[in-house]
Amino acid sequence: MSMTCDVVIVGTGVAGLFCALNLPRDLDILVVTKRTCEESDSFLAQGGVCVLHDDDDFESFFQDTMNAGHGENDPQAVRTMIAESREVIGDLIACGVRFDRRPDGGLDYTREGAHSRPRILFHKDITGREVSSALLEAVRALPNVRIMENTTMLDLVEGEGGCCGIVACDRYGEAFTVRSRAAVLATGGVGGLYHASTNFPHITGEALAIAHGHGVALQNLSYVQIHPTALYSPRQGRSFLISESVRGEGAVLLGKDGRRFVDELLPRDVVSQAITRQMEADRRDFVWEDLRPIGEQVILEHFPNIRSRCLEEGYDVLREPIPVTPAQHYFMGGIKVDLFSRTSMPGLYACGEASCNGVHGKNRLASNSLLESLVFSKRAAHDIAASLDGVAEGDFPCGDFPETDLGKYSDVQGLLAEYARIAKELIERDGEVRG
């Protein structure tokens, strides 16, 4: 089987969906996703979306992002993200995203760690689900977009001039080719490579391995963020995140002796390190997080999902602290891209957590992930549109589609396991190089 389209997008998180939504309506777009559309990490995001609060907030927002990233951020990328933040929030509201509002009807803002002021928009404690669901509904309504679920990218197809499509397989393991005039990798991070992660386990970084195999530039692969507070549980499976917003609203971290041991609003990596030291001193696998200082009304209104999940685990946050422990959460490295999400291979774009444009530096500032995905996937869409403008319909800029031997993709599970091994090795090796 073979398919042809103008643009193929791999991934149905915020980055992939927003890219599709911003492409011209006269382009034929195919979106493929490894599981169902709802099984992306974007749907799991709790805290919110950062946005420039007002004109006086620009330099403060910029400095907070740079400080959290230990100054290793790309300043131009950070400024671009902040400058375009209000525009994409307007786009979300137009799509029907219901951000929480104050009694007077104005947008409400919350604060998280390493932010010098409240600048985070949210919908209770399920912001990712609210944003992603609205985008997915909008994309599904587009007549020029096809979505294929349970469809896994297995390889890129490279022509003489760059990327001219992908190899994928359907839910039955049958490989097929997709010929396209541009391809966008929005495949997410690497959480599935870790024993304890807040990510879906099927997100294992194969795009890194595939890109590496084609000589596409990668960047900052050792920059893996550990979130300070995942709910501690002896159960196997994905770690449940306790949003940083709860600490932004006043929750405190306590050791075995019931005493605070860290400023809860420091950057994530600093808080994670402090928790690790405290666990070692306490000889426990967790510390306590006490949400009661937030107040019952705020917990019930702002964090109902967190309270519900904690009740399932036997903890009532209204009456007692909960056990938390660090877990892998986010990938700041990835496929190297410019400010328009272009990779080093012509015709190939990457956005969202799969990409690295330098916005986050060594450590991501809380709630910058959704914003970064939105801003730079929109920029990718506009660049793709510009690159195809004036190109004759049916003309493929990156050359003829080469003959592809689909037989070498017959062992899908074995191939994905090998890609996961390569991705993990690339991350570990990059860490060794950085020392």
Side-chain angles (χ1 to χ4, degrees), residues 18-234:
F18 205 55
C19 183
L21 201 59
N22 280 280
L23 285 166
R25 300 292 186 260
D26 60 348
L27 294 181
D28 179 25
I29 302 165
L30 174 65
V31 182
V32 302
T33 189
K34 194 175 183 181
R35 295 288 189 270
T36 66
C37 290
E38 290 79 7
E39 291 176 275
S40 76
D41 283 345
S42 293
F43 275 82
L44 301 176
Q46 295 179 355
V49 187
C50 288
V51 63
L52 183 66
H53 192 284
D54 51 51
D55 292 341
D56 293 336
D57 185 36
F58 195 102
E59 287 305 318
S60 174
F61 192 171
F62 174 81
Q63 202 57 55
D64 287 347
T65 301
M66 296 294 292
N67 289 343
H70 299 283
E72 295 193 26
N73 324 59
D74 181 319
Q76 188 176 2
V78 176
R79 291 189 179 278
T80 298
M81 179 185 72
I82 296 171
E84 298 179 13
S85 63
R86 289 188 192 172
E87 178 180 303
V88 298
I89 292 299
D91 293 343
L92 294 184
I93 293 173
C95 278
V97 174
R98 300 165 298 171
F99 290 114
D100 282 22
R101 293 181 178 270
R102 303 189 308 266
D104 64 4
L107 290 168
D108 200 3
Y109 296 85
T110 189
R111 179 186 177 195
E112 297 185 18
H115 285 272
S116 57
R117 63 176 295 182
R119 62 169 68 91
I120 300 166
L121 299 177
F122 60 95
H123 176 77
K124 301 186 185 300
D125 55 353
I126 51 170
T127 308
R129 188 186 308 171
E130 174 68 16
V131 172
S132 301
S133 297
L135 294 180
L136 180 57
E137 182 178 354
V139 170
R140 279 179 166 157
L142 296 177
N144 64 315
V145 178
R146 292 171 289 169
I147 298 177
M148 293 180 63
E149 297 181 308
N150 299 298
T151 302
T152 304
M153 179 183 71
L154 301 178
D155 206 352
L156 298 172
V157 179
E158 189 174 357
E160 292 182 1
C163 183
C164 55
I166 65 170
V167 178
C169 72
D170 60 22
R171 69 183 67 204
Y172 305 107
E174 293 295 322
F176 63 95
T177 57
V178 178
R179 186 184 187 190
S180 65
R181 302 206 280 173
V184 181
L185 303 183
T187 54
V190 296
L193 302 176
Y194 293 82
H195 172 69
S197 174
T198 62
N199 296 187
F200 280 113
H202 65 267
I203 300 176
T204 53
E206 59 260 25
L208 291 179
I210 292 171
H212 176 70
H214 285 267
V216 177
L218 309 177
Q219 181 170 273
N220 294 344
L221 300 189
S222 65
Y223 290 176
V224 179
Q225 185 175 76
I226 307 299
H227 196 285
T229 53
L231 183 64
Y232 172 77
S233 174

Side-chain angles (χ1 to χ4, degrees), residues 191-394:
L193 302 176
Y194 293 82
H195 172 69
S197 174
T198 62
N199 296 187
F200 280 113
H202 65 267
I203 300 176
T204 53
E206 59 260 25
L208 291 179
I210 292 171
H212 176 70
H214 285 267
V216 177
L218 309 177
Q219 181 170 273
N220 294 344
L221 300 189
S222 65
Y223 290 176
V224 179
Q225 185 175 76
I226 307 299
H227 196 285
T229 53
L231 183 64
Y232 172 77
S233 174
R235 300 181 187 179
Q236 296 293 317
R238 182 176 63 84
S239 300
F240 180 74
L241 180 70
I242 304 300
S243 172
E244 193 159 339
S245 293
V246 301
R247 285 181 278 123
E249 293 290 339
V252 295
L253 294 169
L254 309 172
K256 183 179 179 181
D257 59 5
R259 296 181 180 178
R260 291 176 68 185
F261 56 87
V262 66
D263 177 353
E264 291 83 3
L265 295 183
L266 289 170
R268 287 177 173 174
D269 55 341
V270 178
V271 177
S272 294
Q273 292 161 10
I275 290 175
T276 299
R277 289 193 298 269
Q278 189 64 41
M279 290 192 305
E280 291 172 351
D282 290 346
R283 297 185 180 181
R284 280 185 169 184
D285 294 330
F286 60 87
V287 297
W288 296 109
E289 183 165 18
D290 194 348
L291 279 65
R292 290 174 295 181
I294 298 174
E296 183 172 325
Q297 182 177 351
V298 175
I299 292 174
L300 294 176
E301 292 178 355
H302 192 160
F303 305 112
N305 186 54
I306 289 176
R307 186 192 178 219
S308 176
R309 180 56 184 271
C310 289
L311 284 172
E312 292 176 9
E313 295 287 340
Y315 301 100
D316 187 348
V317 297
L318 298 179
R319 294 175 173 80
E320 61 190 333
I322 57 174
V324 294
T325 188
Q328 189 279 335
H329 181 58
Y330 196 81
F331 187 43
M332 283 80 62
I335 300 168
K336 185 177 181 180
V337 296
D338 64 12
L339 296 183
F340 291 94
S341 297
R342 295 176 291 213
T343 73
S344 62
M345 178 186 288
L348 180 66
Y349 295 74
C351 48
E353 199 172 350
S355 69
C356 181
N357 52 38
V359 157
H360 304 304
K362 195 173 183 178
N363 176 61
R364 176 172 67 82
L365 180 68
S367 288
N368 264 350
S369 55
L370 292 178
L371 175 60
E372 183 247 336
S373 293
L374 292 162
V375 167
F376 291 98
S377 61
K378 183 174 184 177
R379 292 174 71 85
H382 289 175
D383 193 75
I384 291 170
S387 71
L388 297 180
D389 186 34
V391 177
E393 185 176 350

